[in-house]
Amino acid sequence: MYTQESIERSNMKALTKRQSEVYNYLIKYVEKNRISPTYNEIAKDCELGPTSNAYRIIKDLMNKKLVTRIGKPTESRTIYPIIEDRLVRD
């Protein structure tokens, strides 16, 4: 389990409000379900509107090295957050 302090330290990479919401959602979702959410679930649960908004935010988080994709690009549930250079699923 990750502490709020370690999550906040990772968030210091200048995230927008939406990026922060999605990043924290990913962490909580993966810790609870032990699998990553789909883009549709991210868009719906974070109230992002179209799924394309979830794609864009995840791409931005990947560029900031806060999220990684594990598995084949065509598979769903491959998005995992990174905290302090560790995958949350570990």
Side-chain angles (χ1 to χ4, degrees):
M1 193 62 98
Y2 292 91
T3 65
Q4 188 64 31
E5 182 181 327
S6 66
I7 293 169
E8 288 171 3
R9 244 183 287 129
S10 290
N11 280 344
M12 288 184 199
K13 296 185 179 187
L15 299 181
T16 66
K17 180 182 176 188
R18 285 290 195 186
Q19 289 171 347
S20 181
E21 288 172 1
V22 170
Y23 181 66
N24 288 323
Y25 168 79
L26 286 171
I27 292 168
K28 290 174 183 167
Y29 189 99
V30 172
E31 283 183 339
K32 179 181 178 188
N33 299 297
R34 306 309 296 168
I35 192 166
S36 72
T38 63
Y39 283 105
N40 287 333
E41 289 171 326
I42 295 168
K44 180 183 173 199
D45 293 345
C46 294
E47 300 176 354
L48 300 176
T51 305
S52 61
N53 289 337
Y55 279 104
R56 181 183 46 78
I57 291 172
I58 294 299
K59 182 180 173 185
D60 292 341
L61 292 172
M62 286 178 165
N63 289 337
K64 294 181 181 196
K65 309 277 191 252
L66 292 172
V67 173
T68 191
R69 186 183 300 261
I70 298 175
K72 298 176 184 173
T74 56
E75 294 176 343
S76 61
R77 303 190 182 273
T78 60
I79 306 159
Y80 288 92
I82 300 170
I83 297 178
E84 297 175 351
D85 298 327
R86 284 189 51 220
L87 289 173
V88 172
R89 74 177 195 148
D90 290 345

